[in-house]
Amino acid sequence: MNYKKLGNTSLDVSTICLGTMTWGEQNTQDEGFEQMSYALDHGVNFWDTAELYAIPPKKNTYGKTEEVIGNWFEKTKKRSEVILATKIAGPGLSWIRGGGNQYDEKNLNEAVNASLKRLKSDYIDLYQLHWPERKSNFFGKLGYQHKDDSDWNRFENILNSLDKIIKSGKIRYLGLSNETAWGLSKFLEISKLKNLPKIMSVQNPYSLLNRTYEVGLAEISIREESGLLAYSPLAFGYLTGKYRNGELPKNSRMKLFGSQFDRYKTKNGQLAIEKYYEIANKHRLDFAQMSLKFCEVQPFITSVIIGATTMDQLKTNIESVNIKISDEVIKEINEVQKIYPNPCP
Ligand SMILES: NC(=O)c1ccc[n+]([C@@H]2O[C@H](COP(=O)([O-])OP(=O)(O)OC[C@H]3O[C@@H](n4cnc5c(N)ncnc54)[C@H](OP(=O)(O)O)[C@@H]3O)[C@@H](O)[C@H]2O)c1
């Protein structure tokens, strides 16, 4: 396994992070347990979850994934071996504290306490804001239309509230998710000006089908030591080749939940996948591993958050750290990106 510092902390996190959002829906608790044990045994010491999970978000599965992780900590007594990231949900879901704005002191405290209880833990290593409260472009939204909305908690207030929770020992470091370059820069600026905690990471989508992070955020990540935690690096499984020719394998995410998730179903996405698939074949690389390794080698990335529903997938994905992709492969990938730039933003 490879390791990088999380932001400017002293924590060495594995460059493969264990994603967990299928546990409690597509995967049982026992399957989650098996994944956690295998991942930790293979050096994956960094795990990502959220109060919102399991996915797809539903009232009756809210908090389930954190519960699975908490039960594993209780059983194995291995909490201290893991660097654990979780998230408070943003607004919009009626079953999560009424669905309004969430990043005020009261809701932040309530969410942290409830996560800790489910996680059977007394601290969280990285606490992330799952998506912005303000109207902005995230979850694949394009065509920015400005709304002069004032109805969101201001960055300084959020940092002040989180500073108190850090001082109480319940959380150690802060991260953002689904954030824009403006949001990240403002948070960083205010934390410097007001001596408030720094944002150590940004959890955004990044894959061969969506390299939009490279445009503005990548530079901030490196200059400010606030790296990307890349989510959906296999574009929901599309970058394994499993959905080529329109096939929807049994029990796959697109077969089960395809009607809810259309982010990776674009025409140019499918054309780009064919090209990337050819590159992997030509260089005798496993397509999933090539797709993951391309993310892992990016200098602005701290860790690549993998997801798996079977042990075979998990093993393949973790093993991606041990493959090499040559300059020639990267050059060929970049040629495809020029023809089909970010087909699934
Ligand atoms: N912050 C956010 O808003 C956000 C959003 C999304 C994800 N995340 C985080 O990132 C993690 C990973 O996201 P993701 O699950 O979307 O990642 P992904 O890598 O794009 O997709 C993972 C899915 O692809 C399929 N798959 C994975 N490896 C495979 C392989 N080797 N061969 C064939 N199929 C394979 C599996 O689904 P099937 O078996 O069902 O086909 C698996 O669940 C999540 O668990 C979560 O922690 C965060």
Side-chain angles (χ1 to χ4, degrees):
M1 184 49 57
N2 301 318
Y3 297 87
K4 279 189 177 177
K5 293 283 181 222
L6 174 69
N8 65 351
T9 73
S10 59
L11 295 183
D12 290 305
V13 294
S14 48
T15 54
I16 292 288
C17 173
L18 182 65
T20 61
M21 71 183 193
T22 55
W23 311 345
E25 176 68 56
Q26 264 181 284
N27 290 112
T28 62
Q29 167 158 297
D30 283 348
E31 287 166 345
F33 278 20
E34 198 182 358
Q35 288 200 20
M36 286 183 265
S37 299
Y38 181 90
L40 193 60
D41 284 350
H42 289 79
V44 178
N45 69 350
F46 189 27
W47 302 356
D48 176 68
T49 192
E51 63 165 339
L52 176 74
Y53 299 164
I55 287 292
K58 281 186 291 194
K59 190 177 177 184
N60 66 330
T61 52
Y62 162 71
K64 280 266 180 263
T65 308
E66 286 188 334
E67 273 170 29
V68 170
I69 297 170
N71 293 342
W72 187 87
F73 286 150
E74 184 178 55
K75 183 176 165 200
T76 62
K77 312 272 177 290
K78 289 190 174 171
R79 171 66 186 92
S80 63
E81 294 177 35
V82 176
I83 297 166
L84 184 70
T86 192
K87 319 178 189 82
I88 174 173
L93 300 167
S94 59
W95 62 90
I96 304 184
R97 296 175 295 277
N101 279 339
Q102 298 292 333
Y103 304 154
D104 56 276
E105 193 167 342
K106 180 174 171 290
N107 278 321
L108 281 163
N109 273 295
E110 216 177 284
V112 168
N113 289 336
S115 281
L116 287 174
K117 199 167 168 210
R118 287 187 291 267
L119 291 164
K120 299 192 164 68
S121 180
D122 46 18
Y123 68 99
I124 291 160
D125 295 284
L126 180 70
Y127 200 59
Q128 307 159 102
L129 307 180
H130 208 146
W131 58 88
E133 286 177 331
R134 62 186 199 281
K135 307 276 177 296
S136 184
N137 278 8
F138 50 88
F139 295 139
K141 189 161 167 234
L142 294 174
Y144 182 71
Q145 288 184 332
H146 188 68
K147 283 216 176 78
D148 220 358
D149 53 340
S150 54
D151 176 27
W152 45 279
N153 289 289
R154 291 302 185 268
F155 301 127
E156 187 175 342
N157 296 345
I158 300 175
L159 289 176
N160 263 316
S161 306
L162 289 167
D163 188 34
K164 289 186 202 159
I165 306 180
I166 289 177
K167 286 183 175 135
S168 77
K170 291 181 183 174
I171 55 182
R172 297 177 74 190
Y173 299 110
L174 304 182
L176 301 174
S177 182
N178 298 298
E179 193 44 275
T180 67
W182 184 76
L184 175 60
S185 330
K186 291 306 280 185
F187 267 113
L188 290 167
E189 179 192 331
I190 289 165
S191 64
K192 272 184 210 159
L193 279 172
K194 307 279 175 171
N195 199 22
L196 286 165
K198 181 185 169 217
I199 298 297
M200 297 299 178
S201 58
V202 184
Q203 183 175 144
N204 274 20
Y206 184 80
S207 71
L208 290 175
L209 299 184
N210 177 5
R211 294 171 56 180
T212 52
Y213 199 89
E214 292 170 19
V215 180
L217 280 154
E219 181 184 1
I220 313 177
S221 275
I222 292 183
R223 289 189 189 275
E224 302 290 339
E225 295 178 285
S226 186
L228 171 61
L229 309 180
Y231 80 66
S232 299
L234 292 178
F236 281 15
Y238 276 95
L239 289 168
T240 67
K242 71 196 294 176
Y243 297 117
R244 293 176 65 242
N245 310 320
E247 289 165 29
L248 296 180
K250 194 168 163 247
N251 295 331
S252 64
R253 187 179 299 175
M254 295 317 287
K255 175 85 179 169
L256 295 170
F257 310 116
S259 57
Q260 295 174 60
F261 299 127
D262 56 6
R263 195 166 183 172
Y264 299 103
K265 279 190 207 161
T266 68
K267 181 149 179 270
N268 279 355
Q270 305 321 302
L271 295 171
I273 287 167
E274 286 307 306
K275 296 280 181 204
Y276 292 128
Y277 181 77
E278 280 167 25
I279 297 172
N281 272 356
K282 179 176 157 197
H283 295 274
R284 296 200 169 76
L285 295 168
D286 177 273
F287 187 20
Q289 290 183 337
M290 180 187 85
S291 304
L292 294 171
K293 189 70 186 179
F294 177 81
C295 299
E296 198 218 349
V297 299
Q298 302 303 323
F300 51 87
I301 284 192
T302 301
S303 194
V304 181
I305 315 177
I306 56 163
T309 61
T310 68
M311 288 305 291
D312 275 352
Q313 292 177 4
L314 186 72
K315 289 173 190 172
T316 301
N317 298 353
I318 292 176
E319 187 56 28
S320 69
V321 289
N322 295 322
I323 70 156
K324 295 222 170 347
I325 51 169
S326 60
D327 291 348
E328 199 188 337
V329 170
I330 293 187
K331 193 167 158 251
E332 289 177 24
I333 285 175
N334 287 338
E335 287 304 318
V336 179
Q337 160 77 350
K338 277 189 207 152
I339 304 169
Y340 303 112
N342 308 314
C344 308

